[in-house]
């Protein structure tokens, strides 16, 4: 059977555009549509984990060392004991599956961890392959309908790891000047990344999602038109997410948009559009 | 917009296109036509003496927008430049790369229709010029 192309990263060079909000809410809505989804929180700020898990559950995951950092811990922390001659704990690939936590029906998460900030450079030349290896060796693409990776802003070891593991990416932007510049910067990085990849290993754009939109704001309307003009042939999602306070306040209680008054229809429309675009891409 | 006879021409072209290529690609018909149109439009722009009085400006234009570098000898003739452009665009095998090119081309058309200076860079142009 041909491998599913279902790993999707949510990205932008610019921070504060709502990558996590879009990622978590499309995932959550897909889960209600009977699609099995895994979110991998690659951002050391671990916002996706905080969005989905109560403080006690999050603490439990951190205490029991069930976070994405475990994929890297041996290489990062193992350097010190190995230099002193002590033996490293034996870990097997099979154990890594247990890092995944079921947070809702059809929705799993591999939690983020602030300790990921220790993973700063690809010291052994293979660190950026670990995430891809984790997905492949545990056959997660078969198990899940979608695997979403929530990425931090800026180009880093985390984004390179995510790109290597991904088939597609979704760019989340805010309709303002700096955010649209982030779009150009990101395209530049992706083009360079893809130049060094075979056609099977290239990462493809799924589309641009506009978030934090203010309908009555003329500047936002103008910016959206500029984004559409400058990216005429790029898929820009028709559904835009408005800048609504209830989305933020609900997130404090781990409530998703489909559970938030006044937000359900938008996120359902966005998710249906996502499915339509995704299905058209994968054929 | 297209009459039946022109549509026949398009369909005939799409049918024989694979026999023109050495390598197979997975381009959809729409992409093939976009490639063809982009080539024609860009060549038409390059041939315009209204837009480009001197060939040296064309070199700057192509490097800035398409990262397409021309040799000094190529700059002696617009016909040669058009040949290079045709090879460049028709040689694209990746759909994402084609989309990037079409986005840039569309932006150029907006600039022309607004009467803007094609060599005056905005932030987007500057970022595109950064070599990673």
């Amino acid at each position: 059977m041909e491998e599913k192309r279902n790993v999707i990263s949510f990205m932008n060079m610019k921070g504060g555009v709502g990558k996590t909000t879009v990622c978590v809410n499309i995932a959550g809505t897909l889960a209600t549509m009977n699609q099995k989804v895994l979110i991998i929180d690659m951002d050391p700020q671990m916002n996706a984990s905080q969005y989905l898990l109560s403080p006690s559950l999050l603490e439990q995951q951190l205490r029991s060392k069930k976070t994405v950092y475990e994929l890297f811990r041996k290489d990062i922390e193992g350097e010190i004991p190995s230099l002193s001659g002590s033996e490293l704990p034996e870990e097997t690939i099979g154990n890594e599956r247990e890092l995944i936590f079921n947070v809702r029906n059809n929705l799993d998460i591999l939690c983020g961890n602030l300790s990921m900030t220790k993973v700063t450079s690809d010291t052994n030349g293979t660190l950026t392959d670990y995430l891809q290896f984790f997905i492949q060796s545990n056959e997660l693409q078969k198990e899940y309908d979608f695997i979403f990776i929530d990425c931090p802003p800026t180009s880093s070891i985390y984004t390179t790891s995510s790109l290597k593991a991904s088939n597609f990416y979704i760019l989340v932007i805010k309709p303002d000047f700096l955010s649209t510049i982030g779009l150009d910067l990101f395209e530049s990085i992706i083009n360079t990344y893809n130049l060094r990849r075979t056609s099977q290993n290239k990462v493809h754009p799924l589309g641009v999602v506009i978030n934090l939109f203010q309908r009555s704001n003329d500047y936002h309307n103008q910016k959206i038109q500029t984004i559409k003009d400058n990216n005429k042939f790029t898929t820009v999602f028709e559904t835009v997410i408005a800048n609504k306070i209830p989305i933020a306040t609900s997130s404090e209680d781990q409530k998703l948009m489909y559970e938030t008054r006044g937000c359900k229809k938008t996120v359902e429309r966005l998710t249906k559009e996502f499915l339509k675009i995704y299905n058209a891409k994968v054929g | 917009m297209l009459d039946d006879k022109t549509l026949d021409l398009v369909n005939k072209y799409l049918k024989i296109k694979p026999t023109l290529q050495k390598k197979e690609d997975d381009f959809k018909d729409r992409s093939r036509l976009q490639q063809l149109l982009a080539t024609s439009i860009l060549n038409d722009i390059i041939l315009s003496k209204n837009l480009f009085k001197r060939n040296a400006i064309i070199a700057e234009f192509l490097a800035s927008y398409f990262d397409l570098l021309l040799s000094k000898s190529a700059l002696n003739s617009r016909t040669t430049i058009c040949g290079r452009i045709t090879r460049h665009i028709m040689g694209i095998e990746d759909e994402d790369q084609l989309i990037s090119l079409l986005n840039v081309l569309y932006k150029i058309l907006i600039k022309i229709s607004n009467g803007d200076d094609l060599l005056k860079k905005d932030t987007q142009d500057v970022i595109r010029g950064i070599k990673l």
Side-chain angles (χ1 to χ4, degrees):
Chain A
M1 198 176 96
E2 201 179 318
E3 192 179 74
K4 281 197 269 185
R5 296 165 65 210
N6 56 356
V7 185
I8 300 160
S9 279
F10 288 71
M11 300 181 145
N12 193 332
M13 292 283 288
K14 174 92 172 65
V17 295
K19 292 179 284 292
T20 304
T21 305
V22 175
C23 170
V24 167
N25 279 294
I26 295 180
T29 313
L30 282 169
T32 65
M33 295 170 167
N34 216 21
Q35 302 281 312
K36 198 173 177 198
V37 187
L38 168 66
I39 294 175
I40 298 174
D41 189 355
M42 273 302 276
D43 190 344
Q45 289 186 71
M46 47 194 290
N47 288 150
S49 310
Q50 293 158 34
Y51 202 149
L52 285 167
L53 271 67
S54 66
S56 59
L57 275 177
L58 185 60
E59 190 183 25
Q60 183 189 309
Q61 288 303 105
L62 291 166
R63 276 185 191 276
S64 58
K65 295 185 174 175
K66 288 185 175 175
T67 73
V68 71
Y69 181 60
E70 297 313 307
L71 303 179
F72 303 90
R73 184 189 291 277
K74 203 159 72 173
D75 282 77
I76 301 305
E77 297 179 7
E79 286 169 6
I80 301 161
S82 64
L83 282 174
S84 63
S86 59
E87 285 197 7
L88 294 171
E90 276 297 316
E91 287 178 53
T92 60
I93 296 299
N95 289 339
E96 291 176 343
R97 178 64 186 79
E98 292 167 17
L99 300 175
I100 296 172
F101 179 73
N102 176 243
V103 65
R104 285 161 181 244
N105 191 25
N106 287 324
L107 185 61
D108 292 354
I109 187 168
L110 173 57
C111 280
N113 192 328
L114 185 62
S115 294
M116 281 295 282
T117 50
K118 294 184 207 167
V119 188
T120 52
S121 60
D122 200 350
T123 43
N124 65 9
T126 57
L127 277 184
T128 54
D129 295 322
Y130 285 12
L131 182 62
Q132 181 185 23
F133 187 62
F134 165 71
I135 291 171
Q136 287 178 348
S137 60
N138 290 287
E139 298 190 328
L140 300 179
Q141 280 174 278
K142 271 189 205 166
E143 184 179 340
Y144 291 92
D145 293 302
F146 293 103
I147 299 171
F148 285 179
I149 306 176
D150 187 32
C151 297
T154 76
S155 185
S156 61
I157 190 168
Y158 320 116
T159 39
T160 307
S161 299
S162 306
L163 284 173
K164 281 187 173 180
S166 298
N167 306 109
F168 297 101
Y169 65 92
I170 283 183
L171 209 59
V172 181
I173 64 166
K174 214 162 71 167
D176 67 16
F177 173 66
L178 293 175
S179 184
T180 52
I181 296 303
L183 201 152
D184 300 315
L185 283 167
F186 193 73
E187 189 181 303
S188 206
I189 286 168
I190 289 289
N191 287 344
T192 309
Y193 173 86
N194 276 341
L195 274 179
R196 299 169 193 141
R197 306 279 140 192
T198 59
S199 55
Q200 293 98 323
N201 292 321
K202 284 182 181 175
V203 58
H204 302 283
L206 211 52
V208 177
V209 175
I210 298 170
N211 188 28
L212 298 169
F213 169 65
Q214 289 172 358
R215 210 167 291 278
S216 56
N217 186 326
D218 278 348
Y219 175 72
H220 276 191
N221 287 310
Q222 278 172 23
K223 274 292 148 198
I224 288 182
Q225 194 51 51
T226 309
I227 291 162
K228 287 186 174 173
D229 282 346
N230 287 346
N231 302 280
K232 184 79 179 168
F233 293 86
T234 304
T235 305
V236 179
F237 281 67
E238 286 298 322
T239 312
V240 294
I241 303 179
N243 188 5
K244 284 185 177 176
I245 298 294
I247 299 175
T249 49
S250 290
S251 72
E252 290 184 24
D253 300 322
Q254 290 76 51
K255 277 187 184 167
L256 300 185
M257 279 174 72
Y258 74 84
E259 298 160 315
T260 306
R261 207 171 159 193
C263 302
K264 190 178 176 185
K265 278 186 183 168
T266 305
V267 75
E268 281 179 351
R269 212 166 43 239
L270 181 70
T271 307
K272 280 179 189 162
E273 197 178 349
F274 162 83
L275 281 173
K276 192 177 164 192
I277 292 169
Y278 173 79
N279 288 330
K281 280 272 181 187
V282 296
Chain B
M1 195 188 282
L2 299 179
D3 61 26
D4 287 349
K5 288 176 185 176
T6 314
L7 272 176
D8 285 346
L9 180 76
V10 167
N11 288 325
K12 202 55 106 184
Y13 165 74
L14 290 173
K15 206 169 174 187
I16 64 105
K17 175 64 179 164
T19 63
L20 305 178
Q21 292 172 255
K22 261 188 187 173
K23 275 200 285 183
E24 276 185 36
D25 60 40
D26 53 4
F27 267 17
K28 296 183 180 79
D29 284 351
R30 187 191 59 199
S31 300
R32 292 197 197 288
L33 291 178
Q34 286 172 334
Q35 206 175 16
L36 205 60
L37 270 172
T39 307
S40 307
I41 293 169
L42 191 54
N43 280 334
D44 203 19
I45 290 170
I46 292 303
L47 290 173
S48 168
K49 286 274 183 186
N50 288 342
L51 291 173
F52 302 105
K53 298 264 186 285
R54 292 179 297 114
N55 289 8
I57 306 170
I58 298 175
E60 202 182 324
F61 167 80
L62 291 175
S64 165
Y65 285 97
F66 302 100
D67 204 15
L68 189 59
L69 303 176
L70 299 171
S71 64
K72 274 189 179 173
S73 60
L75 276 178
N76 288 333
S77 148
R78 289 200 189 200
T79 315
T80 309
I81 297 171
C82 287
R84 281 293 310 277
I85 288 169
T86 306
R87 274 200 174 281
H88 176 72
I89 301 177
M90 297 308 286
I92 292 174
E93 293 168 358
D94 181 84
E95 201 144 348
D96 297 339
Q97 206 188 337
L98 179 63
I99 285 172
S100 292
L101 183 131
L102 292 167
N103 283 337
V104 173
L105 187 59
Y106 190 78
K107 194 181 166 189
I108 292 168
L109 296 183
I110 291 176
K111 281 191 175 183
I112 295 171
S113 63
N114 290 342
D116 295 341
D117 179 358
L118 285 178
L119 293 178
K120 190 181 167 192
K121 292 178 179 176
D122 59 22
T123 312
Q124 193 185 22
D125 299 324
V126 173
I127 287 166
R128 206 178 37 244
I130 298 171
K131 300 286 168 279
L132 291 173

